[in-house]
Amino acid sequence: MKRKCFLATTLVLISWLPLIADYSGHEKVGALVDELVSEYSFDSTTLMSVFKEIQHKPDIIEIMDRPAETKPWFQYRNIFMQKKRINDGVKFIRDHRDDLDRAFEEYQVPAHIIAAVIGIETNYGGNMGSYRVMDALATLGFDYPRRAPFFREQLKQLFVLACEERIKPFDADDACDRKQNSLSSGQGRSIEDLMGSYAGAMGYGQFIPTSYLDFAIDFDEDGMRDIWSNISDAIGSVANYFAEHEWTKDGLIMESVEIDTSQGSPAEHANLTLERFSKTVEEWRALGIKSSAPSTQKAALFAYKLDDKESPTLQYMLGFDNFYSITRYNPSRLYARAVFELATEIQKKL
């Protein structure tokens, strides 16, 4: 009886091997292929040839359920606020000063902010991800129900990206409809070559496909938007992203604030939103928040754990307009503060 059970289990596992190795037979692929053919005139045979090469990556789903942003601040901060990362940020700015200066001139985003973002996202290009983007997005788009619609759309837009940039096998004129009339040659790159994070984020600045299509730019004007190997394009693209998300030149980012507890507990007002801030500094002062920012400045209150005690010590910060802009890059109060602090330390050493 045990032998029969073992054989039956083995047969079941074997029956799943095609799904793991090949997405062309997945029940949800056909609908996506139909959309791409209908909306962008993709060649269905070419699309299916790609899906035959896409691999299911179960470890990605495990990683998705334990993101760094779930850590308390004092642990999250330690990931990024290291002496080497700060020093490497200074070197990054010195090595790429011309591109960073031009990015500031055109987009008003300072070098230390761009460096901090790239430093946090990929350690200045040292870790741009070890997964093929198509594998990551297919795994999450078809087999991760909690966020499947989002990642399915990202997979769809990855194909659009490959079409517009003439990335193989979509480099032929009849492979798809290039709505932006791209002149790029794709530089011989294949869709299988596009590497990124477990969530399908790509390049120095970790753009998902929709962000690439909307905000990546050909900063060095060589005919291709290349955020993987062209640092000029990566710098310009990060700057453009922030400019398109309302970054304000010389605007405030964050401020540590003290609390007048005689006017009530601030806890009920903290961490309530990462959407457009509605309260002014004057209104926060009326609630007992001591701030030196201009009275009319919009702000939101955030609390950060400084230790892991039963009753942890909390530090309160006001986030301003440019803090909000950083959360458009990554919707996390931890991430936004890490960018602010790393950028501040880099700037001090320049």
Side-chain angles (χ1 to χ4, degrees):
M1 181 64 71
K2 289 183 179 179
R3 178 180 174 81
K4 289 182 180 179
C5 289
F6 173 78
L7 289 173
T9 302
T10 302
L11 289 172
V12 169
L13 291 173
I14 291 173
S15 71
W16 278 94
L17 289 177
L19 173 61
I20 294 173
D22 178 358
Y23 263 102
S24 65
H26 196 288
E27 61 181 358
K28 297 177 182 178
V29 165
L32 181 57
V33 169
D34 289 345
E35 288 176 27
L36 287 164
V37 171
S38 173
E39 297 172 21
Y40 299 95
S41 299
F42 274 86
D43 176 68
S44 61
T45 301
T46 305
L47 285 170
M48 291 308 297
S49 72
V50 175
F51 277 109
K52 286 180 180 178
E53 301 300 323
I54 295 179
Q55 299 176 4
H56 178 75
K57 298 292 183 181
D59 57 317
I60 286 176
I61 295 176
E62 296 176 13
I63 298 170
M64 283 294 293
D65 288 330
R66 46 184 173 84
E69 283 75 15
T70 60
K71 297 178 181 291
W73 167 246
F74 66 93
Q75 292 179 355
Y76 185 86
R77 182 184 189 276
N78 290 338
I79 299 173
F80 305 109
M81 295 304 296
Q82 302 160 351
K83 184 176 180 180
K84 184 177 188 307
R85 199 178 301 252
I86 295 167
N87 291 337
D88 286 349
V90 174
K91 183 178 185 300
F92 180 87
I93 290 176
R94 290 173 177 164
D95 288 347
H96 304 289
R97 174 58 76 181
D98 289 347
D99 285 322
L100 289 162
D101 285 349
R102 186 159 66 91
F104 179 69
E105 181 180 347
E106 295 186 20
Y107 299 104
Q108 308 303 307
V109 183
H112 58 285
I113 293 295
I114 297 173
V117 168
I118 292 176
I120 287 173
E121 293 291 348
T122 61
N123 202 9
Y124 311 103
N127 180 17
M128 289 192 276
S130 58
Y131 292 95
R132 296 191 305 179
V133 177
M134 64 183 194
D135 293 341
L137 294 178
T139 297
L140 295 169
F142 296 132
D143 296 309
Y144 187 59
R146 187 163 68 86
R147 296 190 64 193
F150 172 81
F151 286 108
R152 180 188 185 277
E153 180 62 22
Q154 295 305 317
L155 178 61
K156 180 178 178 180
Q157 297 307 316
L158 175 67
F159 285 110
V160 175
L161 181 164
C163 171
E164 292 190 2
E165 299 295 347
R166 293 185 180 271
I167 293 172
K168 294 178 181 179
F170 306 107
D171 48 339
D173 288 338
D174 59 354
C176 54
D177 180 16
R178 293 179 177 80
K179 296 185 181 299
Q180 293 190 13
N181 194 29
S182 172
L183 298 177
S184 171
S185 66
Q187 296 184 359
R189 182 177 280 125
S190 165
I191 194 169
E192 296 182 36
D193 299 332
L194 304 185
M195 304 298 290
S197 73
Y198 64 88
M202 307 173 291
Y204 280 91
Q206 294 291 276
F207 280 21
I208 56 176
T210 50
S211 294
Y212 179 100
L213 289 167
D214 290 340
F215 307 113
I217 61 172
D218 177 15
F219 200 45
D220 66 353
E221 300 180 345
D222 68 349
M224 183 180 183
R225 295 175 290 178
D226 177 7
I227 61 174
W228 293 270
S229 58
N230 187 324
I231 189 61
S232 179
D233 285 359
I235 287 170
S237 297
V238 171
N240 182 51
Y241 190 103
F242 276 99
E244 292 291 333
H245 289 84
E246 304 178 60
W247 180 269
T248 303
K249 179 184 178 183
D250 300 326
L252 298 175
I253 301 176
M254 294 198 82
E255 176 191 28
S256 177
V257 294
E258 296 182 0
I259 306 295
D260 181 357
T261 55
S262 67
Q263 301 196 41
S265 171
E268 60 187 282
H269 303 292
N271 304 336
L272 295 182
T273 184
L274 287 175
E275 296 308 311
R276 174 56 69 191
F277 304 154
S278 58
K279 282 187 174 61
T280 64
V281 167
E282 184 175 6
E283 290 172 311
W284 284 117
R285 286 175 183 151
L287 293 170
I289 308 299
K290 299 178 181 179
S291 171
S292 60
S295 298
T296 58
Q297 174 75 56
K298 294 291 183 64
L301 183 66
F302 299 99
Y304 295 89
K305 289 183 180 181
L306 300 183
D307 53 52
D308 203 19
K309 297 176 183 177
E310 186 173 340
S311 297
T313 304
L314 296 178
Q315 181 181 31
Y316 290 93
M317 308 281 290
L318 282 182
F320 304 107
D321 288 343
N322 282 346
F323 181 95
Y324 171 80
S325 293
I326 297 172
T327 64
R328 301 308 89 187
Y329 205 97
N330 181 324
S332 163
R333 62 186 174 84
L334 303 182
Y335 177 88
R337 182 172 177 182
V339 169
F340 167 68
E341 291 201 0
L342 181 57
T344 300
E345 292 305 311
I346 291 171
Q347 187 179 33
K348 288 178 181 177
K349 290 200 165 191
L350 288 173

